[in-house]
Amino acid sequence: MPLSRIVTLIIGLIVILALTLWLIDSLSRLYWQLSYSPLLGNLLLLLLIILIGCLIAAFVYYVLVLKNGEEKTRRKRPRVKPSQIPAAKSDAASSTLEAVRQQVSQIQDEVTRQALLSRTREIEANLARGEIQVVVFGTGSAGKTSLVNAIMGRIVGEVNAPMGTTQVGETYCLRLKGLERKILITDTPGILEPGVAGTEREELARVLATQADLLLFVVDNDLRKSEYQPLRGLAEIGKRSLLILNKTDLYTDNDKEVILARLRERVRGFIATNDVVAIAANPQIAQLETGEPFQPEPDIMPLLRRMAVILRAEGEDLVADNILLQSLRLGEEARKLIDSQRRRQADKIVERYQWIGAGVVSVTPLPMVDLLATAAINAQMVVEIGRVYGCDLNVERGKELALSLGKTIAGLGIVKGAIQLLSTALQLNVATYIVGKAIQGVTAAYLTRIAGKSFIEYFRHDQDWGDGGMTEVVQEQFKINQKDEFIKVFIQEAIAKVVKPLSDTFAEKE
Ligand SMILES: Nc1nc2c(ncn2[C@@H]2O[C@H](COP(=O)(O)OP(=O)(O)OP(=O)(O)O)[C@@H](O)[C@H]2O)c(=O)[nH]1
Ligand SMILES: [Mg+2]
């Protein structure tokens, strides 16, 4: 409690005490004066008791009502400290980041792992700093830098007619009245510019746009298709965006309204009508009646007003939502990287087992075609693929899975289909009598591959065959592995790994 309040409180108490003493003294005197009449004395006493009772009742009532009222208003308006990100959202972002960090630790490539870790740290730092990032984005020469200049009230970036003036993202700091957070405004290079350098700059601009808490998408006319797509894409990932029609000084009032209406219509559904605003960031020099040149002031008030409303009302949410969004995107990126890392490992396992199976079947040919399907699929391969995906299967379960997949392959007639496909391809490369000897081994290798690839899909989707079941996954893999370019490579490998060893054995026997 501040000192001034304590002093006031003490003085108040002393005054109240003095008044009470004076009151008691006056009343006791009155009582003695009335002592000649006991009735009057008792009446005075009764009056006093009633008065004190009323005072106590009023005090209790006041305390209760006040407390209730306070509670209600507290419940109605949860008081969030202005500089604090809503707790639930920031917690969600923190736990998502924690999950991402755990995912990242599974990535084996050191450089990629470090890069992702540094991005999680960056997001965390943003969460702690809590600045609002406004990114100005749009086609080259739409007037992005001019807008940043006008907002900052001074020349901060180079403005020029040809596209590509802004080469890198430039960030400036701004404070808005009534908003505790700092606002960082980032100017970006234009999108949709020609050439390799243009594409690279666009890539940078897009990265900056996805990091924005609030996006200012600048156009200088109706939206082109090439502008609509990135704008819609960004809105779809949940980016809070304003669409800004710049250079309105070049249009008549009527034309300006027509273009604005058209823009609002085009973005209906993902940008609200009042989030489409018209400005003139750097109006053209006009001529006064005297013939003297005159530079009109930038007209960006509609944008500043809208930005202020949005940032005051949603600033905290925008920051939290964006951090959550970025954490989720990073998580998705890490998930994809882990998926491709696991796939590479699992592919290696399949590669290894397919030729083991081929060798075994070549030495002991099987009497029935369908048996080939069940024999080719090695339970150990299933267990190893499962392990890559973090599933600990025992060999029994591996056998069960291998057997049911083998039966599915046989039931779908894939064995016969594969024999046909592979014999035709082999005949183009080796003598027919060798094809006859080698075909079972080569088919076994091929079936092991189809099975292995199907199991990869199964483990990738958390041990789920999907809506179409095992059959659909197997058919899909058979389709993928029938492609000419794959068969060519496979046959060359089969010749080296199955046909050649077999021919060598025959040659030795002869
Ligand atoms: N008439 C008019 N011209 C403008 C306005 N705003 C910008 N310009 C002009 O448009 C041209 C491009 O402006 P910049 O601000 O450099 O555009 P930019 O979007 O930053 O361009 P890049 O950095 O190349 O992508 C310049 O010649 C500006 O003077 C405006 O409100 N009215
Ligand atoms: Mg620029």
Side-chain angles (χ1 to χ4, degrees):
M1 202 188 285
L3 190 70
S4 58
R5 266 208 194 171
I6 296 176
V7 172
T8 326
L9 202 73
I10 291 172
I11 295 175
L13 280 176
I14 292 172
V15 171
I16 289 172
L17 203 69
L19 282 174
T20 317
L21 285 175
W22 172 78
L23 191 69
I24 292 171
D25 181 56
S26 313
L27 285 173
S28 65
R29 268 182 220 195
L30 191 65
Y31 185 74
W32 286 120
Q33 276 168 16
L34 291 175
S35 58
Y36 62 90
S37 157
L39 182 70
L40 273 179
N42 284 341
L43 260 178
L44 182 71
L45 212 67
L46 189 72
L47 210 70
L48 265 178
I49 292 170
I50 292 173
L51 200 70
I52 292 171
C54 285
L55 273 176
I56 293 173
F59 181 74
V60 170
Y61 176 78
Y62 175 75
V63 168
L64 282 180
V65 167
L66 207 74
K67 242 190 170 175
N68 258 351
E70 257 181 18
E71 209 132 273
K72 265 186 204 159
T73 39
R74 210 179 304 144
R75 243 179 277 142
K76 250 192 231 161
R77 274 185 293 126
R79 295 234 297 154
V80 178
K81 259 176 91 185
S83 61
Q84 260 175 9
I85 287 174
K89 288 187 179 176
S90 101
D91 285 354
S94 300
S95 53
T96 312
L97 276 176
E98 189 47 47
V100 171
R101 205 171 292 119
Q102 276 175 11
Q103 273 179 310
V104 170
S105 65
Q106 294 175 36
I107 294 175
Q108 286 164 351
D109 180 54
E110 180 67 20
V111 178
T112 317
R113 193 174 60 236
Q114 288 308 330
L116 289 183
L117 277 178
S118 97
R119 276 175 57 199
T120 56
R121 280 194 291 269
E122 227 170 80
I123 296 176
E124 254 166 353
N126 280 348
L127 184 67
R129 247 197 334 262
E131 288 149 344
I132 298 177
Q133 316 234 1
V134 177
V135 174
V136 186
F137 185 71
T139 330
S141 281
K144 300 176 294 298
T145 306
S146 303
L147 171 58
V148 175
N149 287 343
I151 292 179
M152 299 306 295
R154 59 200 158 104
I155 298 291
V156 292
E158 193 189 338
V159 172
N160 221 329
M163 292 207 253
T165 312
T166 306
Q167 308 275 326
V168 287
E170 303 272 5
T171 301
Y172 309 94
C173 184
L174 178 75
R175 287 241 177 225
L176 206 70
K177 230 175 152 186
L179 198 75
E180 276 199 16
R181 290 180 185 284
K182 256 197 241 166
I183 301 171
L184 298 181
I185 295 205
T186 303
D187 184 14
T188 64
I191 58 168
L192 311 171
E193 289 170 21
V196 179
T199 315
E200 277 171 11
R201 284 199 296 267
E202 171 162 344
E203 196 47 45
L204 170 69
R206 279 174 191 263
V207 170
L208 291 168
T210 51
Q211 289 169 356
D213 294 319
L214 176 66
L215 191 76
L216 307 184
F217 196 102
V218 186
V219 292
D220 58 5
N221 205 328
D222 190 3
L223 262 185
R224 287 178 252 167
K225 197 170 157 200
S226 47
E227 289 171 320
Y228 176 83
Q229 276 159 350
L231 177 60
R232 187 176 180 124
L234 286 161
E236 266 168 5
I237 61 163
K239 195 58 57 194
R240 182 76 166 87
S241 316
L242 292 185
L243 178 57
I244 295 149
L245 173 64
N246 187 29
K247 307 193 187 176
T248 48
D249 57 302
L250 299 179
Y251 302 108
T252 61
D253 283 351
N254 197 25
D255 284 351
K256 181 177 101 177
E257 288 311 318
V258 170
I259 300 174
L260 260 182
R262 211 173 296 151
L263 286 174
R264 286 178 174 144
E265 182 54 35
R266 290 200 199 284
V267 298
R268 204 161 54 153
F270 60 96
I271 295 184
T273 305
N274 50 359
D275 286 343
V276 182
V277 288
I279 59 161
N282 186 15
Q284 240 175 17
I285 294 178
Q287 268 202 344
L288 293 175
E289 277 170 13
T290 54
E292 274 178 66
F294 161 70
Q295 173 68 65
E297 283 291 305
D299 174 20
I300 56 162
M301 267 329 272
L303 171 65
L304 289 184
R305 247 183 259 129
R306 188 68 199 135
M307 260 173 72
V309 169
I310 292 177
L311 294 182
R312 281 188 198 125
E314 306 169 30
E316 311 303 321
D317 276 343
L318 287 183
V319 175
D321 285 346
N322 184 29
I323 283 169
L324 192 57
L325 177 76
Q326 286 192 49
S327 326
L328 291 172
R329 282 171 67 88
L330 195 59
E332 181 60 17
E333 217 173 292
R335 200 190 57 71
K336 279 190 188 144
L337 282 168
I338 292 171
D339 188 46
S340 64
Q341 173 186 303
R342 284 175 165 167
R343 182 168 276 262
R344 279 195 302 275
Q345 291 172 344
D347 278 348
K348 269 193 199 143
I349 295 172
V350 175
E351 201 94 343
R352 182 155 46 86
Y353 275 97
Q354 75 185 16
W355 301 118
I356 294 176
V360 176
V361 175
S362 303
V363 178
T364 49
L366 294 160
M368 259 164 46
V369 160
D370 285 351
L371 248 180
L372 188 54
T374 42
I377 306 160
N378 191 315
Q380 192 56 34
M381 174 181 79
V382 184
V383 173
E384 281 187 35
I385 297 174
R387 204 171 298 141
V388 167
Y389 285 90
C391 313
D392 243 338
L393 304 185
N394 54 23
V395 183
E396 273 315 300
R397 176 79 184 123
K399 264 189 200 151
E400 231 175 77
L401 280 169
L403 197 69
S404 68
L405 195 84
K407 282 184 184 156
T408 305
I409 289 185
L412 288 169
I414 289 179
V415 186
K416 282 182 201 132
I419 290 181
Q420 228 164 31
L421 178 81
L422 297 169
S423 339
T424 318
L426 270 176
Q427 267 160 7
L428 296 175
N429 295 277
V430 290
T432 316
Y433 81 99
I434 294 279
V435 174
K437 303 265 177 225
I439 191 65
Q440 274 211 353
V442 176
T443 310
Y446 187 78
L447 296 179
T448 309
R449 183 184 177 83
I450 298 217
K453 296 281 180 183
S454 304
F455 278 120
I456 291 177
E457 289 307 308
Y458 171 70
F459 288 116
R460 264 187 78 205
H461 297 101
D462 293 329
Q463 303 190 61
D464 185 0
W465 289 109
D467 292 342
M470 191 187 264
T471 311
E472 200 174 287
V473 175
V474 171
Q475 273 172 331
E476 178 63 24
Q477 289 307 317
F478 185 42
K479 208 161 100 191
I480 294 172
N481 286 282
Q482 273 181 46
K483 294 202 175 118
D484 269 356
E485 55 278 30
F486 164 72
I487 291 290
K488 262 187 210 148
V489 178
F490 181 81
I491 289 294
Q492 289 314 315
E493 237 177 306
I495 290 172
K497 298 220 160 104
V498 182
V499 179
K500 187 113 193 331
L502 266 181
S503 334
D504 291 350
T505 324
F506 287 132
E508 273 169 29
K509 277 185 189 163
E510 277 161 19

